[in-house]
Amino acid sequence: MTSLERGARSLWRATGKRLPTRAAEAVRVPAKQALRRLGLLGGGAGDAGIAEFGHHAQNDRWIVESVFPGLRGGFFVEAGACGGGVGSVSYVLERAFGWTGICVEPGEEYFRLLKQERTCAKDQRCLAGRSGDRVEWLSYPDDLARSGIQSLNKNGTWAEQHHAKGRTSTRETVTLADLLEQHHAPATVNYLALDVEGAERTILQPFDFDG
């Protein structure tokens, strides 16, 4: 087994599709329902406070119910974790299933929320093809989830159509391999989630999946 489990079990690129807020709210499902179906939760008082599935593409529910049914104590890396709350794909994994991992979020506003919301490791650098570079980070105040590395950001057409004005700042970069090493990640990463607005290939290309 390599440092990342191969295939669909370990690598999932988010579709980039976003649901309107009301639609996203509508797909939230209590994670305790999945726990019960998997035989991991009874009907007692322990149900209280169980997190909800809330990712806009339901990737969190997909992982829990289809990819790793019943798995507790897994390890995730989520790049583009936003504020780390219910809309984060790893939120339920950490809160309801005891996973640990690393949340990566270069955005200032989101990172402040992430630090308050999550207990996992957190990193504000940009995942990229080389470590230690400085890159221009483009953020859109009208939709912070569309922020990303300026030279790679895929949301130019959206910005033109919506007359969205971006603002730039600089961020330090880190490779996926260095991120894992520096945060003492285990040999197996069960779930890698990249919602990085066009930087996916740049991040994955130098990674040694056979190492």
mmCIF file with all atom_site columns, all heavy atoms in Angstrom, residues 4-14 62-63 67-68 77 176 189-194 200 203-204 209:
data_model
loop_
_atom_site.group_PDB
_atom_site.id
_atom_site.type_symbol
_atom_site.label_atom_id
_atom_site.label_alt_id
_atom_site.label_comp_id
_atom_site.label_asym_id
_atom_site.label_entity_id
_atom_site.label_seq_id
_atom_site.pdbx_PDB_ins_code
_atom_site.Cartn_x
_atom_site.Cartn_y
_atom_site.Cartn_z
_atom_site.occupancy
_atom_site.B_iso_or_equiv
_atom_site.pdbx_formal_charge
_atom_site.auth_seq_id
_atom_site.auth_comp_id
_atom_site.auth_asym_id
_atom_site.auth_atom_id
_atom_site.pdbx_PDB_model_num
ATOM 1   N N   . LEU A 1 4   ? -0.790  6.927  -0.205  1.00 0.00 ? 4   LEU A N   1
ATOM 2   C CA  . LEU A 1 4   ? -2.199  7.247  -0.456  1.00 0.00 ? 4   LEU A CA  1
ATOM 3   C C   . LEU A 1 4   ? -2.865  6.010  -1.022  1.00 0.00 ? 4   LEU A C   1
ATOM 4   O O   . LEU A 1 4   ? -2.341  5.393  -1.935  1.00 0.00 ? 4   LEU A O   1
ATOM 5   C CB  . LEU A 1 4   ? -2.348  8.395  -1.470  1.00 0.00 ? 4   LEU A CB  1
ATOM 6   C CG  . LEU A 1 4   ? -1.865  9.774  -1.072  1.00 0.00 ? 4   LEU A CG  1
ATOM 7   C CD1 . LEU A 1 4   ? -2.070  10.731 -2.232  1.00 0.00 ? 4   LEU A CD1 1
ATOM 8   C CD2 . LEU A 1 4   ? -2.592  10.274 0.149   1.00 0.00 ? 4   LEU A CD2 1
ATOM 9   N N   . GLU A 1 5   ? -3.975  5.583  -0.487  1.00 0.00 ? 5   GLU A N   1
ATOM 10  C CA  . GLU A 1 5   ? -4.666  4.433  -1.056  1.00 0.00 ? 5   GLU A CA  1
ATOM 11  C C   . GLU A 1 5   ? -5.104  4.770  -2.456  1.00 0.00 ? 5   GLU A C   1
ATOM 12  O O   . GLU A 1 5   ? -5.566  5.867  -2.728  1.00 0.00 ? 5   GLU A O   1
ATOM 13  C CB  . GLU A 1 5   ? -5.892  4.077  -0.201  1.00 0.00 ? 5   GLU A CB  1
ATOM 14  C CG  . GLU A 1 5   ? -5.502  3.482  1.130   1.00 0.00 ? 5   GLU A CG  1
ATOM 15  C CD  . GLU A 1 5   ? -6.714  2.888  1.828   1.00 0.00 ? 5   GLU A CD  1
ATOM 16  O OE1 . GLU A 1 5   ? -7.841  3.019  1.311   1.00 0.00 ? 5   GLU A OE1 1
ATOM 17  O OE2 . GLU A 1 5   ? -6.511  2.306  2.882   1.00 0.00 ? 5   GLU A OE2 1
ATOM 18  N N   . ARG A 1 6   ? -4.914  3.808  -3.362  1.00 0.00 ? 6   ARG A N   1
ATOM 19  C CA  . ARG A 1 6   ? -5.151  4.089  -4.766  1.00 0.00 ? 6   ARG A CA  1
ATOM 20  C C   . ARG A 1 6   ? -6.624  4.045  -5.135  1.00 0.00 ? 6   ARG A C   1
ATOM 21  O O   . ARG A 1 6   ? -7.433  3.469  -4.435  1.00 0.00 ? 6   ARG A O   1
ATOM 22  C CB  . ARG A 1 6   ? -4.378  3.075  -5.616  1.00 0.00 ? 6   ARG A CB  1
ATOM 23  C CG  . ARG A 1 6   ? -2.881  3.191  -5.410  1.00 0.00 ? 6   ARG A CG  1
ATOM 24  C CD  . ARG A 1 6   ? -2.131  2.136  -6.201  1.00 0.00 ? 6   ARG A CD  1
ATOM 25  N NE  . ARG A 1 6   ? -0.715  2.216  -5.943  1.00 0.00 ? 6   ARG A NE  1
ATOM 26  C CZ  . ARG A 1 6   ? 0.157   1.341  -6.383  1.00 0.00 ? 6   ARG A CZ  1
ATOM 27  N NH1 . ARG A 1 6   ? -0.240  0.312  -7.106  1.00 0.00 ? 6   ARG A NH1 1
ATOM 28  N NH2 . ARG A 1 6   ? 1.435   1.487  -6.120  1.00 0.00 ? 6   ARG A NH2 1
ATOM 29  N N   . GLY A 1 7   ? -6.855  4.655  -6.310  1.00 0.00 ? 7   GLY A N   1
ATOM 30  C CA  . GLY A 1 7   ? -8.196  4.574  -6.885  1.00 0.00 ? 7   GLY A CA  1
ATOM 31  C C   . GLY A 1 7   ? -9.188  5.476  -6.215  1.00 0.00 ? 7   GLY A C   1
ATOM 32  O O   . GLY A 1 7   ? -8.837  6.400  -5.504  1.00 0.00 ? 7   GLY A O   1
ATOM 33  N N   . ALA A 1 8   ? -10.439 5.168  -6.460  1.00 0.00 ? 8   ALA A N   1
ATOM 34  C CA  . ALA A 1 8   ? -11.524 6.012  -5.967  1.00 0.00 ? 8   ALA A CA  1
ATOM 35  C C   . ALA A 1 8   ? -11.597 6.038  -4.460  1.00 0.00 ? 8   ALA A C   1
ATOM 36  O O   . ALA A 1 8   ? -12.117 6.988  -3.891  1.00 0.00 ? 8   ALA A O   1
ATOM 37  C CB  . ALA A 1 8   ? -12.861 5.528  -6.533  1.00 0.00 ? 8   ALA A CB  1
ATOM 38  N N   . ARG A 1 9   ? -11.075 5.015  -3.806  1.00 0.00 ? 9   ARG A N   1
ATOM 39  C CA  . ARG A 1 9   ? -11.125 4.975  -2.349  1.00 0.00 ? 9   ARG A CA  1
ATOM 40  C C   . ARG A 1 9   ? -10.275 6.063  -1.728  1.00 0.00 ? 9   ARG A C   1
ATOM 41  O O   . ARG A 1 9   ? -10.471 6.404  -0.577  1.00 0.00 ? 9   ARG A O   1
ATOM 42  C CB  . ARG A 1 9   ? -10.656 3.603  -1.843  1.00 0.00 ? 9   ARG A CB  1
ATOM 43  C CG  . ARG A 1 9   ? -11.660 2.506  -2.076  1.00 0.00 ? 9   ARG A CG  1
ATOM 44  C CD  . ARG A 1 9   ? -11.022 1.160  -1.847  1.00 0.00 ? 9   ARG A CD  1
ATOM 45  N NE  . ARG A 1 9   ? -10.513 1.038  -0.490  1.00 0.00 ? 9   ARG A NE  1
ATOM 46  C CZ  . ARG A 1 9   ? -11.225 0.586  0.531   1.00 0.00 ? 9   ARG A CZ  1
ATOM 47  N NH1 . ARG A 1 9   ? -12.470 0.235  0.344   1.00 0.00 ? 9   ARG A NH1 1
ATOM 48  N NH2 . ARG A 1 9   ? -10.691 0.489  1.718   1.00 0.00 ? 9   ARG A NH2 1
ATOM 49  N N   . SER A 1 10  ? -9.278  6.596  -2.419  1.00 0.00 ? 10  SER A N   1
ATOM 50  C CA  . SER A 1 10  ? -8.372  7.557  -1.793  1.00 0.00 ? 10  SER A CA  1
ATOM 51  C C   . SER A 1 10  ? -8.294  8.885  -2.505  1.00 0.00 ? 10  SER A C   1
ATOM 52  O O   . SER A 1 10  ? -7.720  9.822  -1.978  1.00 0.00 ? 10  SER A O   1
ATOM 53  C CB  . SER A 1 10  ? -6.974  6.960  -1.697  1.00 0.00 ? 10  SER A CB  1
ATOM 54  O OG  . SER A 1 10  ? -6.515  6.676  -2.997  1.00 0.00 ? 10  SER A OG  1
ATOM 55  N N   . LEU A 1 11  ? -8.828  9.005  -3.700  1.00 0.00 ? 11  LEU A N   1
ATOM 56  C CA  . LEU A 1 11  ? -8.675  10.252 -4.436  1.00 0.00 ? 11  LEU A CA  1
ATOM 57  C C   . LEU A 1 11  ? -10.003 10.648 -5.033  1.00 0.00 ? 11  LEU A C   1
ATOM 58  O O   . LEU A 1 11  ? -10.549 9.925  -5.836  1.00 0.00 ? 11  LEU A O   1
ATOM 59  C CB  . LEU A 1 11  ? -7.619  10.084 -5.544  1.00 0.00 ? 11  LEU A CB  1
ATOM 60  C CG  . LEU A 1 11  ? -7.371  11.328 -6.409  1.00 0.00 ? 11  LEU A CG  1
ATOM 61  C CD1 . LEU A 1 11  ? -6.901  12.480 -5.543  1.00 0.00 ? 11  LEU A CD1 1
ATOM 62  C CD2 . LEU A 1 11  ? -6.332  11.034 -7.470  1.00 0.00 ? 11  LEU A CD2 1
ATOM 63  N N   . TRP A 1 12  ? -10.503 11.784 -4.628  1.00 0.00 ? 12  TRP A N   1
ATOM 64  C CA  . TRP A 1 12  ? -11.799 12.259 -5.140  1.00 0.00 ? 12  TRP A CA  1
ATOM 65  C C   . TRP A 1 12  ? -11.679 13.727 -5.452  1.00 0.00 ? 12  TRP A C   1
ATOM 66  O O   . TRP A 1 12  ? -11.436 14.539 -4.579  1.00 0.00 ? 12  TRP A O   1
ATOM 67  C CB  . TRP A 1 12  ? -12.894 12.047 -4.104  1.00 0.00 ? 12  TRP A CB  1
ATOM 68  C CG  . TRP A 1 12  ? -14.198 12.644 -4.538  1.00 0.00 ? 12  TRP A CG  1
ATOM 69  C CD1 . TRP A 1 12  ? -14.759 13.792 -4.079  1.00 0.00 ? 12  TRP A CD1 1
ATOM 70  C CD2 . TRP A 1 12  ? -15.082 12.115 -5.525  1.00 0.00 ? 12  TRP A CD2 1
ATOM 71  N NE1 . TRP A 1 12  ? -15.952 14.010 -4.708  1.00 0.00 ? 12  TRP A NE1 1
ATOM 72  C CE2 . TRP A 1 12  ? -16.173 13.003 -5.588  1.00 0.00 ? 12  TRP A CE2 1
ATOM 73  C CE3 . TRP A 1 12  ? -15.069 10.986 -6.344  1.00 0.00 ? 12  TRP A CE3 1
ATOM 74  C CZ2 . TRP A 1 12  ? -17.239 12.793 -6.452  1.00 0.00 ? 12  TRP A CZ2 1
ATOM 75  C CZ3 . TRP A 1 12  ? -16.132 10.790 -7.193  1.00 0.00 ? 12  TRP A CZ3 1
ATOM 76  C CH2 . TRP A 1 12  ? -17.187 11.672 -7.240  1.00 0.00 ? 12  TRP A CH2 1
ATOM 77  N N   . ARG A 1 13  ? -11.833 14.096 -6.705  1.00 0.00 ? 13  ARG A N   1
ATOM 78  C CA  . ARG A 1 13  ? -11.827 15.501 -7.092  1.00 0.00 ? 13  ARG A CA  1
ATOM 79  C C   . ARG A 1 13  ? -13.245 16.017 -7.031  1.00 0.00 ? 13  ARG A C   1
ATOM 80  O O   . ARG A 1 13  ? -14.142 15.467 -7.659  1.00 0.00 ? 13  ARG A O   1
ATOM 81  C CB  . ARG A 1 13  ? -11.291 15.677 -8.505  1.00 0.00 ? 13  ARG A CB  1
ATOM 82  C CG  . ARG A 1 13  ? -9.796  15.610 -8.610  1.00 0.00 ? 13  ARG A CG  1
ATOM 83  C CD  . ARG A 1 13  ? -9.357  15.990 -10.004 1.00 0.00 ? 13  ARG A CD  1
ATOM 84  N NE  . ARG A 1 13  ? -9.839  17.311 -10.355 1.00 0.00 ? 13  ARG A NE  1
ATOM 85  C CZ  . ARG A 1 13  ? -9.692  17.846 -11.559 1.00 0.00 ? 13  ARG A CZ  1
ATOM 86  N NH1 . ARG A 1 13  ? -9.104  17.162 -12.508 1.00 0.00 ? 13  ARG A NH1 1
ATOM 87  N NH2 . ARG A 1 13  ? -10.143 19.042 -11.815 1.00 0.00 ? 13  ARG A NH2 1
ATOM 88  N N   . ALA A 1 14  ? -13.429 17.076 -6.273  1.00 0.00 ? 14  ALA A N   1
ATOM 89  C CA  . ALA A 1 14  ? -14.764 17.658 -6.195  1.00 0.00 ? 14  ALA A CA  1
ATOM 90  C C   . ALA A 1 14  ? -15.201 18.126 -7.573  1.00 0.00 ? 14  ALA A C   1
ATOM 91  O O   . ALA A 1 14  ? -14.385 18.568 -8.388  1.00 0.00 ? 14  ALA A O   1
ATOM 92  C CB  . ALA A 1 14  ? -14.761 18.842 -5.221  1.00 0.00 ? 14  ALA A CB  1
ATOM 93  N N   . TRP A 1 62  ? -21.240 10.301 0.752   1.00 0.00 ? 62  TRP A N   1
ATOM 94  C CA  . TRP A 1 62  ? -20.702 9.280  -0.154  1.00 0.00 ? 62  TRP A CA  1
ATOM 95  C C   . TRP A 1 62  ? -19.566 8.502  0.502   1.00 0.00 ? 62  TRP A C   1
ATOM 96  O O   . TRP A 1 62  ? -19.513 7.262  0.425   1.00 0.00 ? 62  TRP A O   1
ATOM 97  C CB  . TRP A 1 62  ? -20.247 9.964  -1.438  1.00 0.00 ? 62  TRP A CB  1
ATOM 98  C CG  . TRP A 1 62  ? -19.514 9.120  -2.415  1.00 0.00 ? 62  TRP A CG  1
ATOM 99  C CD1 . TRP A 1 62  ? -20.024 8.120  -3.188  1.00 0.00 ? 62  TRP A CD1 1
ATOM 100 C CD2 . TRP A 1 62  ? -18.114 9.201  -2.750  1.00 0.00 ? 62  TRP A CD2 1
ATOM 101 N NE1 . TRP A 1 62  ? -19.034 7.579  -3.984  1.00 0.00 ? 62  TRP A NE1 1
ATOM 102 C CE2 . TRP A 1 62  ? -17.861 8.232  -3.742  1.00 0.00 ? 62  TRP A CE2 1
ATOM 103 C CE3 . TRP A 1 62  ? -17.083 10.021 -2.321  1.00 0.00 ? 62  TRP A CE3 1
ATOM 104 C CZ2 . TRP A 1 62  ? -16.598 8.047  -4.290  1.00 0.00 ? 62  TRP A CZ2 1
ATOM 105 C CZ3 . TRP A 1 62  ? -15.822 9.846  -2.875  1.00 0.00 ? 62  TRP A CZ3 1
ATOM 106 C CH2 . TRP A 1 62  ? -15.589 8.856  -3.847  1.00 0.00 ? 62  TRP A CH2 1
ATOM 107 N N   . ILE A 1 63  ? -18.664 9.236  1.183   1.00 0.00 ? 63  ILE A N   1
ATOM 108 C CA  . ILE A 1 63  ? -17.540 8.590  1.859   1.00 0.00 ? 63  ILE A CA  1
ATOM 109 C C   . ILE A 1 63  ? -18.036 7.676  2.975   1.00 0.00 ? 63  ILE A C   1
ATOM 110 O O   . ILE A 1 63  ? -17.613 6.520  3.108   1.00 0.00 ? 63  ILE A O   1
ATOM 111 C CB  . ILE A 1 63  ? -16.569 9.648  2.417   1.00 0.00 ? 63  ILE A CB  1
ATOM 112 C CG1 . ILE A 1 63  ? -15.787 10.307 1.276   1.00 0.00 ? 63  ILE A CG1 1
ATOM 113 C CG2 . ILE A 1 63  ? -15.610 9.038  3.427   1.00 0.00 ? 63  ILE A CG2 1
ATOM 114 C CD1 . ILE A 1 63  ? -14.799 9.380  0.600   1.00 0.00 ? 63  ILE A CD1 1
ATOM 115 N N   . VAL A 1 67  ? -18.069 4.544  0.316   1.00 0.00 ? 67  VAL A N   1
ATOM 116 C CA  . VAL A 1 67  ? -16.646 4.259  0.124   1.00 0.00 ? 67  VAL A CA  1
ATOM 117 C C   . VAL A 1 67  ? -16.045 3.544  1.325   1.00 0.00 ? 67  VAL A C   1
ATOM 118 O O   . VAL A 1 67  ? -15.385 2.514  1.191   1.00 0.00 ? 67  VAL A O   1
ATOM 119 C CB  . VAL A 1 67  ? -15.868 5.562  -0.171  1.00 0.00 ? 67  VAL A CB  1
ATOM 120 C CG1 . VAL A 1 67  ? -14.394 5.241  -0.432  1.00 0.00 ? 67  VAL A CG1 1
ATOM 121 C CG2 . VAL A 1 67  ? -16.460 6.289  -1.369  1.00 0.00 ? 67  VAL A CG2 1
ATOM 122 N N   . PHE A 1 68  ? -16.275 4.080  2.507   1.00 0.00 ? 68  PHE A N   1
ATOM 123 C CA  . PHE A 1 68  ? -15.734 3.492  3.731   1.00 0.00 ? 68  PHE A CA  1
ATOM 124 C C   . PHE A 1 68  ? -16.846 3.251  4.749   1.00 0.00 ? 68  PHE A C   1
ATOM 125 O O   . PHE A 1 68  ? -16.829 3.817  5.847   1.00 0.00 ? 68  PHE A O   1
ATOM 126 C CB  . PHE A 1 68  ? -14.673 4.414  4.351   1.00 0.00 ? 68  PHE A CB  1
ATOM 127 C CG  . PHE A 1 68  ? -13.423 4.549  3.544   1.00 0.00 ? 68  PHE A CG  1
ATOM 128 C CD1 . PHE A 1 68  ? -13.048 5.781  3.025   1.00 0.00 ? 68  PHE A CD1 1
ATOM 129 C CD2 . PHE A 1 68  ? -12.601 3.461  3.313   1.00 0.00 ? 68  PHE A CD2 1
ATOM 130 C CE1 . PHE A 1 68  ? -11.884 5.921  2.289   1.00 0.00 ? 68  PHE A CE1 1
ATOM 131 C CE2 . PHE A 1 68  ? -11.434 3.592  2.581   1.00 0.00 ? 68  PHE A CE2 1
ATOM 132 C CZ  . PHE A 1 68  ? -11.075 4.824  2.067   1.00 0.00 ? 68  PHE A CZ  1
ATOM 133 N N   . VAL A 1 77  ? -7.147  14.400 4.147   1.00 0.00 ? 77  VAL A N   1
ATOM 134 C CA  . VAL A 1 77  ? -6.563  15.702 3.820   1.00 0.00 ? 77  VAL A CA  1
ATOM 135 C C   . VAL A 1 77  ? -7.610  16.437 3.003   1.00 0.00 ? 77  VAL A C   1
ATOM 136 O O   . VAL A 1 77  ? -8.053  15.930 1.969   1.00 0.00 ? 77  VAL A O   1
ATOM 137 C CB  . VAL A 1 77  ? -5.253  15.579 3.016   1.00 0.00 ? 77  VAL A CB  1
ATOM 138 C CG1 . VAL A 1 77  ? -4.759  16.960 2.593   1.00 0.00 ? 77  VAL A CG1 1
ATOM 139 C CG2 . VAL A 1 77  ? -4.187  14.850 3.827   1.00 0.00 ? 77  VAL A CG2 1
ATOM 140 N N   . LEU A 1 176 ? 2.169   18.523 -1.613  1.00 0.00 ? 176 LEU A N   1
ATOM 141 C CA  . LEU A 1 176 ? 1.400   17.538 -0.867  1.00 0.00 ? 176 LEU A CA  1
ATOM 142 C C   . LEU A 1 176 ? 2.322   16.645 -0.051  1.00 0.00 ? 176 LEU A C   1
ATOM 143 O O   . LEU A 1 176 ? 2.047   16.338 1.118   1.00 0.00 ? 176 LEU A O   1
ATOM 144 C CB  . LEU A 1 176 ? 0.557   16.710 -1.824  1.00 0.00 ? 176 LEU A CB  1
ATOM 145 C CG  . LEU A 1 176 ? -0.293  15.598 -1.227  1.00 0.00 ? 176 LEU A CG  1
ATOM 146 C CD1 . LEU A 1 176 ? -1.245  16.124 -0.170  1.00 0.00 ? 176 LEU A CD1 1
ATOM 147 C CD2 . LEU A 1 176 ? -1.068  14.864 -2.332  1.00 0.00 ? 176 LEU A CD2 1
ATOM 148 N N   . VAL A 1 189 ? -3.393  7.578  3.733   1.00 0.00 ? 189 VAL A N   1
ATOM 149 C CA  . VAL A 1 189 ? -4.388  8.643  3.746   1.00 0.00 ? 189 VAL A CA  1
ATOM 150 C C   . VAL A 1 189 ? -5.637  8.068  3.090   1.00 0.00 ? 189 VAL A C   1
ATOM 151 O O   . VAL A 1 189 ? -5.634  7.733  1.909   1.00 0.00 ? 189 VAL A O   1
ATOM 152 C CB  . VAL A 1 189 ? -3.891  9.887  2.979   1.00 0.00 ? 189 VAL A CB  1
ATOM 153 C CG1 . VAL A 1 189 ? -5.000  10.931 2.863   1.00 0.00 ? 189 VAL A CG1 1
ATOM 154 C CG2 . VAL A 1 189 ? -2.678  10.491 3.664   1.00 0.00 ? 189 VAL A CG2 1
ATOM 155 N N   . ASN A 1 190 ? -6.700  7.947  3.847   1.00 0.00 ? 190 ASN A N   1
ATOM 156 C CA  . ASN A 1 190 ? -7.904  7.320  3.320   1.00 0.00 ? 190 ASN A CA  1
ATOM 157 C C   . ASN A 1 190 ? -8.629  8.204  2.314   1.00 0.00 ? 190 ASN A C   1
ATOM 158 O O   . ASN A 1 190 ? -9.200  7.701  1.340   1.00 0.00 ? 190 ASN A O   1
ATOM 159 C CB  . ASN A 1 190 ? -8.860  6.980  4.465   1.00 0.00 ? 190 ASN A CB  1
ATOM 160 C CG  . ASN A 1 190 ? -8.234  6.050  5.478   1.00 0.00 ? 190 ASN A CG  1
ATOM 161 O OD1 . ASN A 1 190 ? -7.750  6.501  6.501   1.00 0.00 ? 190 ASN A OD1 1
ATOM 162 N ND2 . ASN A 1 190 ? -8.224  4.765  5.191   1.00 0.00 ? 190 ASN A ND2 1
ATOM 163 N N   . TYR A 1 191 ? -8.629  9.501  2.562   1.00 0.00 ? 191 TYR A N   1
ATOM 164 C CA  . TYR A 1 191 ? -9.430  10.395 1.720   1.00 0.00 ? 191 TYR A CA  1
ATOM 165 C C   . TYR A 1 191 ? -8.705  11.704 1.490   1.00 0.00 ? 191 TYR A C   1
ATOM 166 O O   . TYR A 1 191 ? -8.378  12.422 2.432   1.00 0.00 ? 191 TYR A O   1
ATOM 167 C CB  . TYR A 1 191 ? -10.772 10.650 2.394   1.00 0.00 ? 191 TYR A CB  1
ATOM 168 C CG  . TYR A 1 191 ? -11.747 11.511 1.600   1.00 0.00 ? 191 TYR A CG  1
ATOM 169 C CD1 . TYR A 1 191 ? -11.831 11.417 0.218   1.00 0.00 ? 191 TYR A CD1 1
ATOM 170 C CD2 . TYR A 1 191 ? -12.587 12.402 2.248   1.00 0.00 ? 191 TYR A CD2 1
ATOM 171 C CE1 . TYR A 1 191 ? -12.727 12.188 -0.492  1.00 0.00 ? 191 TYR A CE1 1
ATOM 172 C CE2 . TYR A 1 191 ? -13.496 13.177 1.536   1.00 0.00 ? 191 TYR A CE2 1
ATOM 173 C CZ  . TYR A 1 191 ? -13.562 13.068 0.169   1.00 0.00 ? 191 TYR A CZ  1
ATOM 174 O OH  . TYR A 1 191 ? -14.450 13.845 -0.542  1.00 0.00 ? 191 TYR A OH  1
ATOM 175 N N   . LEU A 1 192 ? -8.428  11.978 0.215   1.00 0.00 ? 192 LEU A N   1
ATOM 176 C CA  . LEU A 1 192 ? -7.836  13.248 -0.198  1.00 0.00 ? 192 LEU A CA  1
ATOM 177 C C   . LEU A 1 192 ? -8.886  14.028 -0.963  1.00 0.00 ? 192 LEU A C   1
ATOM 178 O O   . LEU A 1 192 ? -9.358  13.587 -2.018  1.00 0.00 ? 192 LEU A O   1
ATOM 179 C CB  . LEU A 1 192 ? -6.608  13.003 -1.081  1.00 0.00 ? 192 LEU A CB  1
ATOM 180 C CG  . LEU A 1 192 ? -6.016  14.239 -1.790  1.00 0.00 ? 192 LEU A CG  1
ATOM 181 C CD1 . LEU A 1 192 ? -5.497  15.246 -0.778  1.00 0.00 ? 192 LEU A CD1 1
ATOM 182 C CD2 . LEU A 1 192 ? -4.911  13.815 -2.749  1.00 0.00 ? 192 LEU A CD2 1
ATOM 183 N N   . ALA A 1 193 ? -9.278  15.169 -0.445  1.00 0.00 ? 193 ALA A N   1
ATOM 184 C CA  . ALA A 1 193 ? -10.290 16.010 -1.088  1.00 0.00 ? 193 ALA A CA  1
ATOM 185 C C   . ALA A 1 193 ? -9.645  17.300 -1.555  1.00 0.00 ? 193 ALA A C   1
ATOM 186 O O   . ALA A 1 193 ? -9.095  18.055 -0.751  1.00 0.00 ? 193 ALA A O   1
ATOM 187 C CB  . ALA A 1 193 ? -11.426 16.317 -0.106  1.00 0.00 ? 193 ALA A CB  1
ATOM 188 N N   . LEU A 1 194 ? -9.694  17.543 -2.858  1.00 0.00 ? 194 LEU A N   1
ATOM 189 C CA  . LEU A 1 194 ? -9.113  18.752 -3.433  1.00 0.00 ? 194 LEU A CA  1
ATOM 190 C C   . LEU A 1 194 ? -10.218 19.603 -4.046  1.00 0.00 ? 194 LEU A C   1
ATOM 191 O O   . LEU A 1 194 ? -10.782 19.242 -5.076  1.00 0.00 ? 194 LEU A O   1
ATOM 192 C CB  . LEU A 1 194 ? -8.081  18.401 -4.521  1.00 0.00 ? 194 LEU A CB  1
ATOM 193 C CG  . LEU A 1 194 ? -6.858  17.591 -4.080  1.00 0.00 ? 194 LEU A CG  1
ATOM 194 C CD1 . LEU A 1 194 ? -5.958  17.321 -5.284  1.00 0.00 ? 194 LEU A CD1 1
ATOM 195 C CD2 . LEU A 1 194 ? -6.084  18.315 -2.986  1.00 0.00 ? 194 LEU A CD2 1
ATOM 196 N N   . GLU A 1 200 ? -5.694  21.439 -9.142  1.00 0.00 ? 200 GLU A N   1
ATOM 197 C CA  . GLU A 1 200 ? -5.586  20.013 -8.841  1.00 0.00 ? 200 GLU A CA  1
ATOM 198 C C   . GLU A 1 200 ? -4.401  19.347 -9.546  1.00 0.00 ? 200 GLU A C   1
ATOM 199 O O   . GLU A 1 200 ? -3.614  18.627 -8.924  1.00 0.00 ? 200 GLU A O   1
ATOM 200 C CB  . GLU A 1 200 ? -6.889  19.290 -9.234  1.00 0.00 ? 200 GLU A CB  1
ATOM 201 C CG  . GLU A 1 200 ? -8.081  19.643 -8.369  1.00 0.00 ? 200 GLU A CG  1
ATOM 202 C CD  . GLU A 1 200 ? -8.822  20.900 -8.828  1.00 0.00 ? 200 GLU A CD  1
ATOM 203 O OE1 . GLU A 1 200 ? -8.348  21.575 -9.774  1.00 0.00 ? 200 GLU A OE1 1
ATOM 204 O OE2 . GLU A 1 200 ? -9.881  21.206 -8.244  1.00 0.00 ? 200 GLU A OE2 1
ATOM 205 N N   . ILE A 1 203 ? -1.004  20.234 -8.154  1.00 0.00 ? 203 ILE A N   1
ATOM 206 C CA  . ILE A 1 203 ? -0.743  19.620 -6.856  1.00 0.00 ? 203 ILE A CA  1
ATOM 207 C C   . ILE A 1 203 ? -0.370  18.147 -7.004  1.00 0.00 ? 203 ILE A C   1
ATOM 208 O O   . ILE A 1 203 ? 0.568   17.655 -6.362  1.00 0.00 ? 203 ILE A O   1
ATOM 209 C CB  . ILE A 1 203 ? -1.986  19.759 -5.954  1.00 0.00 ? 203 ILE A CB  1
ATOM 210 C CG1 . ILE A 1 203 ? -2.220  21.233 -5.592  1.00 0.00 ? 203 ILE A CG1 1
ATOM 211 C CG2 . ILE A 1 203 ? -1.858  18.900 -4.699  1.00 0.00 ? 203 ILE A CG2 1
ATOM 212 C CD1 . ILE A 1 203 ? -3.579  21.506 -4.992  1.00 0.00 ? 203 ILE A CD1 1
ATOM 213 N N   . LEU A 1 204 ? -1.096  17.427 -7.847  1.00 0.00 ? 204 LEU A N   1
ATOM 214 C CA  . LEU A 1 204 ? -0.933  15.976 -7.930  1.00 0.00 ? 204 LEU A CA  1
ATOM 215 C C   . LEU A 1 204 ? 0.231   15.533 -8.806  1.00 0.00 ? 204 LEU A C   1
ATOM 216 O O   . LEU A 1 204 ? 0.806   14.462 -8.587  1.00 0.00 ? 204 LEU A O   1
ATOM 217 C CB  . LEU A 1 204 ? -2.226  15.344 -8.453  1.00 0.00 ? 204 LEU A CB  1
ATOM 218 C CG  . LEU A 1 204 ? -3.440  15.443 -7.535  1.00 0.00 ? 204 LEU A CG  1
ATOM 219 C CD1 . LEU A 1 204 ? -4.686  14.904 -8.233  1.00 0.00 ? 204 LEU A CD1 1
ATOM 220 C CD2 . LEU A 1 204 ? -3.200  14.679 -6.237  1.00 0.00 ? 204 LEU A CD2 1
ATOM 221 N N   . PHE A 1 209 ? 3.048   8.599  -6.134  1.00 0.00 ? 209 PHE A N   1
ATOM 222 C CA  . PHE A 1 209 ? 2.046   7.677  -5.624  1.00 0.00 ? 209 PHE A CA  1
ATOM 223 C C   . PHE A 1 209 ? 2.610   6.267  -5.401  1.00 0.00 ? 209 PHE A C   1
ATOM 224 O O   . PHE A 1 209 ? 1.956   5.452  -4.777  1.00 0.00 ? 209 PHE A O   1
ATOM 225 C CB  . PHE A 1 209 ? 0.853   7.606  -6.603  1.00 0.00 ? 209 PHE A CB  1
ATOM 226 C CG  . PHE A 1 209 ? -0.045  8.803  -6.526  1.00 0.00 ? 209 PHE A CG  1
ATOM 227 C CD1 . PHE A 1 209 ? 0.164   9.907  -7.334  1.00 0.00 ? 209 PHE A CD1 1
ATOM 228 C CD2 . PHE A 1 209 ? -1.109  8.815  -5.647  1.00 0.00 ? 209 PHE A CD2 1
ATOM 229 C CE1 . PHE A 1 209 ? -0.671  11.008 -7.269  1.00 0.00 ? 209 PHE A CE1 1
ATOM 230 C CE2 . PHE A 1 209 ? -1.951  9.911  -5.558  1.00 0.00 ? 209 PHE A CE2 1
ATOM 231 C CZ  . PHE A 1 209 ? -1.732  11.011 -6.363  1.00 0.00 ? 209 PHE A CZ  1
#
